[in-house]
Amino acid sequence: GQDFIVSSDINPSDPNTWYISSTIGDNFQALSQTPTQTRMSVTVDGSLGAFVGTDKHINVLNLDANNPQETRLSTNPEWDNVAISLDGNRIAAVSTSIDTSIYVFDFTTNPVTGYQYKLFNPTTSSGGQRVGGVLYADAFSWDFTGQYVLYDAFNRLSNPLGGNIEYWDVGFLRAWDPRT
């Protein structure tokens, strides 16, 4: 397809928030007036983009410059970030609550199915122990296969000598298996 740039505008005097333009940065066309909280996640063919608005709702935007259409997917204002799979069939999201989860919604089923995946830190101890510590995922994206979500997670562990140990790490969530 044709290459383009999707950009956000935070100018308070401009009611438009999302624009599409050529790759040289001209011919800007407004797509949306929904104030955005997150960057837009775009499908590989450039047809759809997903983002969380400042109202904490998940929105999907058809990126056709001649006929942009926006759909609010969420019914409750509880979302902090979102990523759409490259094929547009699934969305991964994290909520505003610190619930140690990534939620995946599959749009190939009718009705749409949703899954909650609790995040954990694997260990090499015998018995496959799972260690807590993950509080929430922050930045995340689908891999090119649409099977895994790569995420950045904030962790907190109690220090036996007092206080907490806090750190960020990267994890992989197998969120989809096309064989099942």
Side-chain angles (χ1 to χ4, degrees):
Q2 183 177 357
D3 291 336
F4 59 86
I5 296 173
V6 174
S7 56
S8 63
D9 186 349
I10 59 171
N11 181 350
S13 65
D14 183 355
N16 298 307
T17 55
W18 289 107
Y19 285 90
I20 192 168
S21 67
S22 71
T23 56
I24 59 173
D26 65 357
N27 194 24
F28 284 85
Q29 294 177 286
L31 295 172
S32 173
Q33 293 186 347
T34 302
T36 183
Q37 171 179 300
T38 64
R39 67 175 178 81
M40 186 178 290
S41 174
V42 179
T43 57
V44 73
D45 67 1
S47 64
L48 297 172
F51 66 96
V52 175
T54 56
D55 62 358
K56 308 294 184 193
H57 281 283
I58 297 172
N59 299 280
V60 171
L61 185 58
N62 176 328
L63 298 176
D64 180 350
N66 298 316
N67 188 26
Q69 295 179 354
E70 188 171 339
T71 304
R72 177 185 280 178
L73 292 184
S74 58
T75 55
N76 296 319
E78 60 188 343
W79 302 104
D80 193 54
N81 203 354
V82 66
I84 193 167
S85 63
L86 295 180
D87 61 9
N89 290 333
R90 285 166 292 286
I91 284 185
V94 293
S95 72
T96 55
S97 62
I98 299 175
D99 65 359
T100 71
S101 298
I102 291 179
Y103 298 84
V104 174
F105 300 95
D106 181 7
F107 294 96
T108 64
T109 61
N110 189 7
V112 172
T113 52
Y115 306 92
Q116 179 182 10
Y117 294 94
K118 290 285 192 178
L119 305 177
F120 64 91
N121 290 318
T123 68
T124 57
S125 67
S126 63
Q129 294 274 330
R130 292 183 176 193
V131 178
V134 177
L135 293 181
Y136 58 88
D138 183 29
F140 54 99
S141 181
W142 288 89
D143 79 325
F144 72 95
T145 69
Q147 292 184 48
Y148 295 90
V149 176
L150 169 69
Y151 63 91
D152 191 17
F154 181 72
N155 299 263
R156 181 180 295 142
L157 299 173
S158 295
N159 186 344
L161 301 175
N164 293 313
I165 300 170
E166 297 180 342
Y167 62 98
W168 290 90
D169 70 351
V170 174
F172 292 88
L173 167 67
R174 186 173 187 177
W176 183 257
D177 185 349
R179 295 171 292 169
T180 59

